[in-house]
Amino acid sequence: MSSSKQESSSKRVSSSGQKTPTAKSYHHGDLRTALVKAAREVLLETGAGKLSLRAVARHAGVSHAAAYYHFEDKTSLIAAVAIDAFEELNHATKAAYEQGGSLLERSKAMFAAYINFALEHPQAFRIMFLPELRSDAVRTDVETAGRQGHEFTVSVIQQLQQADQVVKDDPERIAISLWAMLHGLATLMIDGPLYRNAKTQQGRETLIQTATDHLLHGILHTANMPEELSE
């Protein structure tokens, strides 16, 4: 879109009395990012069921037509939200792992970061794994974003194996098993019977601590396993 069109769009928003912060972002060529941010905010207010391009455009303070310039339909918008959330999750888990400590302590911090992200951003977490994002039209970009986090987990498993901390199984298979368990626990705490445990900080931390301990015990090399678990 040309700068003149951007400027006219910005002026239309201002003259209508709607919110103008996003119009300013649009003027600088960043409307797509602003719309994804607005979609995340709409999700918090209404949930995925009422997410639409029209609602997101209204929330961002731009025209419906301006939103369609960047997203052809609701599915493409949802895909962009999922990619944004995956990138945020990947950053959170990497940051947790890089904080320091032993390899096992850093791994536990990374696992906890995955669950905490899900608990802090439940609507976005649900969006990331919607069945409609498995369609050929959108799956490549979404799965690429998700794959980046998985590949980092594989690299962590490989580091643990090189340090003779965990079993010498296929790191890809170990990473998938860990992901399945972490995702299952996060889902149970958001939408399942464990939601009560997530209501208090103490309950949440206790469950995450116990779960991450057991996850690591499940892949520890026998030589590193506590005596009570090696019997």
Side-chain angles (χ1 to χ4, degrees), residues 28-43:
H28 290 287
D30 199 24
L31 178 59
R32 192 179 194 281
T33 298
L35 287 169
V36 172
K37 181 177 183 293
R40 297 270 307 255
E41 293 169 354
V42 171
L43 278 174

Side-chain angles (χ1 to χ4, degrees), residues 157-176:
I157 299 301
Q158 291 171 330
Q159 291 179 56
L160 289 166
Q161 289 177 327
Q162 290 166 6
D164 203 28
Q165 294 285 304
V166 302
V167 294
K168 302 294 186 181
D169 199 350
D170 181 356
E172 177 86 15
R173 291 169 57 186
I174 293 175
I176 290 173

Side-chain angles (χ1 to χ4, degrees), residues 110-141:
M110 180 180 74
F111 299 156
Y114 185 97
I115 299 172
N116 279 318
F117 175 87
L119 294 174
E120 291 164 7
H121 308 281
Q123 295 287 8
F125 187 73
R126 295 185 186 105
I127 286 283
M128 292 159 68
F129 302 97
L130 285 176
E132 49 262 50
L133 296 185
R134 306 283 81 80
S135 70
D136 291 338
V138 298
R139 70 182 302 166
T140 302
D141 291 341

